[in-house]
Amino acid sequence: MPPVFRFAPSPNGLLHLGHAYSALLNFDSARAAGGRLLLRIEDIDTARCKPEFEVALLEDLAWLGIAWETPIRRQSEHLALYRQALQRLQALGLIYPSFESRGEIARLVAGREAEAPWPRDPDGAPLYPGMAKQLAADERARLIELGTPYALRLDIAAALEKVGDLSWTELGEGPLGETGEVTADPQAWGDAILARKETPTSYHLSVVIDDALQGVTDVVRGRDLFWSTSLHRLLQELLGLPRPVYRHHGLLRDPAGRKLSKSTAATGLRELRAQGVTPTEVRAMVGLPYLA
Ligand code: GLU
């Protein structure tokens, strides 16, 4: 079976050189391995994702010379599927609703931090400090009945009881040079949010389901997602999904050393193209060889 790669952008802005690097690396790797390249549009965040960004990114990727298989998968078209996976986790007793707003959580954390530093997840967000796991079933039902907004969280302690030690095969590198068989540390995410009242999924949940469903064997993506893989491995194990191999690549920086962002025009593919930069020059700019 040929290996299956995927590029999975979120259409919440225009692509920059960092995206070009990731997309080209996937394309080149698929080609070198005689594999397939899929494109997945990660558009579950309906407030930030816009169809015009999707149109623009498809055009930019084609301009770069990247070819992908069709049909493209759009996550927003598969919400029922993510809901089903969530229900499986719920049936295992691993999901509970929490009702605090972001502001309330920030205040709770500030209160705890007055005493001692409060642990943060790998993205820098404080671990969930609330007590919603302890709420009685009738109190939960009452709050839901009242229409209170809620987040559905993974009970990490209960989840870890169901699985053994987890690891993944890293063909790239983590922030501290981690490579080879890397031990997963899902606990570092605390009781992570897997869905919200209005959205039956989250990045972490949908990414593992789609990678499995699309038969992805090789995940090539930015190093900023390295530690997310811990949670992905846990979800794969709980849901009985196969595990791909991972290659996390370095992130391109601007001359001042900052991570590229979708709002910096200087490195936007559209701007570069308007200035007359060619796709071959983009390859050179991101340090990839020209492929004939
Ligand atoms: N959609 C994610 C992003 O644009 C990438 C997800 C992934 O490659 O796993 O950052």
Side-chain angles (χ1 to χ4, degrees):
M1 290 283 272
V4 181
F5 294 76
R6 81 331 187 249
F7 180 57
S10 296
N12 55 12
L14 294 169
L15 298 191
H16 56 57
L17 280 176
H19 300 109
Y21 176 54
S22 201
L24 286 165
L25 205 54
N26 270 289
F27 177 61
D28 292 2
S29 305
R31 246 177 89 162
R36 301 162 53 199
L37 177 64
L38 309 178
L39 182 63
R40 183 165 75 225
I41 304 294
E42 301 212 323
D43 59 350
I44 50 174
D45 181 353
T46 46
R48 295 175 63 223
C49 294
K50 305 237 164 352
E52 52 271 33
F53 288 134
E54 181 186 320
V55 172
L57 77 83
L58 296 179
E59 196 188 297
D60 289 348
L61 293 174
W63 172 75
L64 282 173
I66 292 174
W68 56 86
E69 286 183 15
T70 51
I72 293 169
R73 184 176 179 88
R74 270 181 214 90
Q75 291 189 325
S76 59
E77 293 168 0
H78 300 279
L79 295 185
L81 206 82
Y82 309 132
R83 195 174 280 120
Q84 270 171 28
L86 194 69
Q87 282 163 356
R88 280 183 62 190
L89 297 173
Q90 258 161 340
L92 291 170
L94 302 180
I95 301 288
Y96 69 89
S98 69
F99 300 90
E100 297 92 345
S101 66
R102 286 193 175 86
E104 277 165 332
I105 290 189
R107 278 194 294 282
L108 273 172
V109 171
R112 304 279 175 99
E113 290 210 303
E115 291 152 36
W118 187 251
R120 313 227 147 213
D121 72 21
D123 282 347
L127 297 196
Y128 175 61
M131 301 301 285
K133 199 166 108 173
Q134 267 84 50
L135 282 181
D138 57 347
E139 178 61 4
R140 278 180 188 163
R142 192 186 66 85
L143 288 165
I144 291 175
E145 180 75 9
L146 281 173
T148 318
Y150 57 85
L152 292 171
R153 294 182 180 271
L154 180 66
D155 180 342
I156 190 76
L160 289 175
E161 274 174 24
K162 300 217 179 269
V163 299
D165 289 343
L166 298 173
S167 64
W168 76 88
T169 305
E170 176 63 46
L171 304 178
E173 258 187 24
L176 299 176
E178 300 90 339
T179 192
E181 205 55 24
V182 175
T183 305
D185 178 20
Q187 197 139 25
W189 292 93
D191 288 355
I193 294 178
L194 292 191
R196 290 184 187 274
K197 183 183 176 197
E198 316 295 344
T199 318
T201 188
S202 59
Y203 160 64
H204 297 300
L205 184 61
S206 27
V207 84
V208 296
I209 294 178
D210 284 348
D211 283 342
L213 257 170
Q214 294 190 286
V216 171
T217 57
D218 290 67
V219 172
V220 177
R221 64 184 176 195
R223 195 165 291 153
D224 50 340
L225 294 170
F226 184 82
W227 285 118
S228 294
T229 314
S230 288
L231 198 48
H232 300 174
R233 284 291 300 115
L234 174 59
L235 293 172
Q236 284 159 357
E237 215 61 19
L238 293 170
L239 293 165
L241 305 174
R243 64 176 207 172
V245 297
Y246 291 85
R247 174 174 170 193
H248 291 92
H249 60 71
L251 301 178
L252 298 189
R253 310 247 155 208
D254 70 10
R258 285 179 302 242
K259 231 175 93 173
L260 303 186
S261 93
K262 283 181 167 150
S263 51
T264 1
T267 51
L269 294 184
R270 304 240 130 182
E271 283 78 3
L272 293 169
R273 190 161 134 200
Q275 289 159 25
V277 172
T278 67
T280 305
E281 286 165 338
V282 168
R283 277 187 168 274
M285 289 166 90
V286 299
L288 288 174
Y290 173 66
L291 287 193

